[in-house]
Amino acid sequence: VQLQESGPGLVKPSQTLSLTCSVSGASTSSGGYYWHWIRQRPGKGLEWIGYIYYSGGPYYSPSLESRITISLDTSKNQFSLKLISVTAADTAIYSCARESIAEPYFFDSWGQGTLVTVSS
Amino acid sequence: SSEVTQDPAVSVALGQIVTITCQGDSLRSYYASWYQQKAGQAPVLVIFRKNNRPAGIPDRFSGSGSGNTASLTITGAQAEDEAVYYCYSRDSSGDYRVFGGGTSLTVL
């Protein structure tokens, strides 16, 4: 399975960050996986953003839930992240990842990540 | 509690044993996994579901857990093990996920 993030690398402050994770080698409609977003700000640790799955969710990090939306598009076999009202503090490498529902507690696939810079 | 916490930094002499811990109330109910991140690289899974090693991870890496603490042990630390290690698990509700803040391991 492969996950590939895509979206603008530069977003202006106060605007909306939109990213898509395209999934190949697995089906987002199979119901067997949680589909996650994770980020890492420069020089900082890993931060879980949220996840969605075919029959439930989404679930969001409490620190971000007022600004984020995660959605699943099974027709395109992809899932998306929208983060509104961004600031420089949202500059980070954003990654998508998959967690098995049957064998949870870790990501069995992880995208390469995409750097999003928030700057005017 | 929705958090899991790690010591920010740990050091170990080359060839010695080091244990990195992750603490949180949720760990009484849920497994932890561990990710290794070397400078400028993507995270790599080294232990999953408390004490399982993915293929290709050296057997000097092991995991354990008791009570509210999950542990990653490196038996015979090597220079290439120098990295930041993150634990990952669920919060107490089980619906949300959490990363520890990371432990920077220095091999002396």
Side-chain angles (χ1 to χ4, degrees):
Chain A
V1 61
Q2 290 191 330
L3 285 69
Q4 180 67 59
E5 306 88 352
S6 60
L10 181 64
V11 181
K12 289 182 167 47
S14 80
Q15 295 192 342
T16 297
L17 179 160
S18 296
L19 295 174
T20 295
C21 182
S22 298
V23 180
S24 57
S27 173
T28 56
S29 62
S30 70
Y33 299 98
Y34 302 115
W35 304 98
H36 291 264
W37 286 99
I38 298 147
R39 73 178 183 180
Q40 187 168 31
R41 290 181 272 192
K44 302 298 183 182
L46 299 171
E47 180 180 11
W48 175 75
I49 295 173
Y51 73 91
I52 194 168
Y53 59 114
Y54 180 71
S55 56
Y59 291 89
Y60 302 138
S61 167
S63 65
L64 294 168
E65 68 177 332
S66 64
R67 296 195 293 130
I68 62 174
T69 301
I70 295 176
S71 57
L72 186 63
D73 188 341
T74 56
S75 67
K76 296 181 179 178
N77 212 34
Q78 61 188 27
F79 59 108
S80 300
L81 169 70
K82 290 190 188 300
L83 178 64
I84 66 171
S85 305
V86 297
T87 70
D90 295 310
T91 293
I93 295 173
Y94 287 79
S95 301
C96 55
R98 185 185 81 166
E99 177 187 9
S100 168
I101 293 177
E103 295 190 11
Y105 300 104
F106 67 100
F107 305 116
D108 62 3
S109 296
W110 201 315
Q112 65 183 24
T114 186
L115 175 62
V116 179
T117 301
V118 178
S119 175
S120 56
Chain B
S1 170
S2 61
E3 293 185 341
V4 291
T5 59
Q6 300 179 239
D7 291 330
V10 169
S11 62
V12 60
L14 185 68
Q16 295 304 301
I17 299 173
V18 62
T19 297
I20 297 169
T21 60
C22 178
Q23 291 188 305
D25 288 342
S26 64
L27 298 177
R28 299 182 185 278
S29 304
Y30 302 107
Y31 291 127
S33 297
W34 292 91
Y35 291 85
Q36 174 196 69
Q37 188 176 35
K38 297 181 180 180
Q41 298 183 21
V44 172
L45 181 69
V46 294
I47 292 290
F48 65 97
R49 295 166 65 87
K50 180 177 167 182
N51 58 4
N52 295 276
R53 265 191 329 275
I57 300 301
D59 61 6
R60 63 179 179 272
F61 290 88
S62 63
S64 62
S66 179
N68 72 336
T69 302
S71 301
L72 171 70
T73 297
I74 307 173
T75 303
Q78 302 299 303
E80 61 263 32
D81 299 334
E82 196 161 277
V84 179
Y85 292 84
Y86 297 94
C87 64
Y88 167 76
S89 186
R90 299 186 179 192
D91 79 326
S92 297
S93 76
D95 290 327
Y96 301 87
R97 307 297 190 261
V98 290
F99 282 104
T103 297
S104 179
L105 176 66
T106 300
V107 180
L108 304 172

